[in-house]
Amino acid sequence: MSHDDLLGALDGTNPPVPPAPAPGGRPSSGSGARSSTAADQQVCSRKGCGHPAAWRLEWNNPRIHTPERRKTWLACEDHRDWLADYLQSRGLLKDVLPLDPTGTDTREKDS
């Protein structure tokens, strides 16, 4: 940005240009560009998939995470096996659980 552009942006005569969307047409994280419906809906983690998630794949990279740490990917019916195979082949997959739409943990608790 040139000196004149900066001054114009500050005085309102040259409004700043909004950032370009991230590659692939998805807003970059932290851009605030997600719609409220997209933010509320849990979608599959497979790149390019926008289907509703039905499964929770819990994983952990033992080289960088403590043993009890769990990261989560969400999967639709079509991509559950693909994502699980991807994690399993790298020794990262810990568990595949149904996704409870209420957001509560579906694992059985010890009584």
Side-chain angles (χ1 to χ4, degrees):
M1 180 181 281
S2 76
H3 181 70
D4 291 336
D5 291 340
L6 178 60
L7 293 176
L10 294 174
D11 72 8
T13 59
N14 240 356
V17 177
R26 299 179 93 179
S28 62
S29 61
S31 70
R34 288 181 74 183
S35 69
S36 61
T37 56
D40 296 336
Q41 182 183 20
Q42 294 183 316
V43 297
C44 181
S45 298
R46 176 78 162 108
K47 185 177 181 178
C49 182
H51 293 115
W55 297 94
R56 190 173 79 224
L57 288 74
E58 294 184 351
W59 61 277
N60 165 303
N61 185 338
R63 288 183 280 167
I64 59 174
H65 300 131
T66 59
E68 65 278 353
R69 172 90 186 266
R70 291 294 181 267
K71 303 283 285 182
T72 302
W73 281 356
L74 301 178
C76 66
E77 291 293 340
D78 292 340
H79 293 120
R80 182 186 87 168
D81 292 338
W82 190 95
L83 290 167
D85 289 345
Y86 179 90
L87 292 168
Q88 184 67 44
S89 69
R90 289 156 178 78
L92 307 176
L93 184 64
K94 299 300 179 189
D95 213 350
V96 178
L97 303 166
L99 181 65
D100 183 4
T102 64
T104 58
D105 195 348
T106 58
R107 284 182 276 195
E108 292 182 21
K109 306 263 192 260
D110 293 333
S111 298

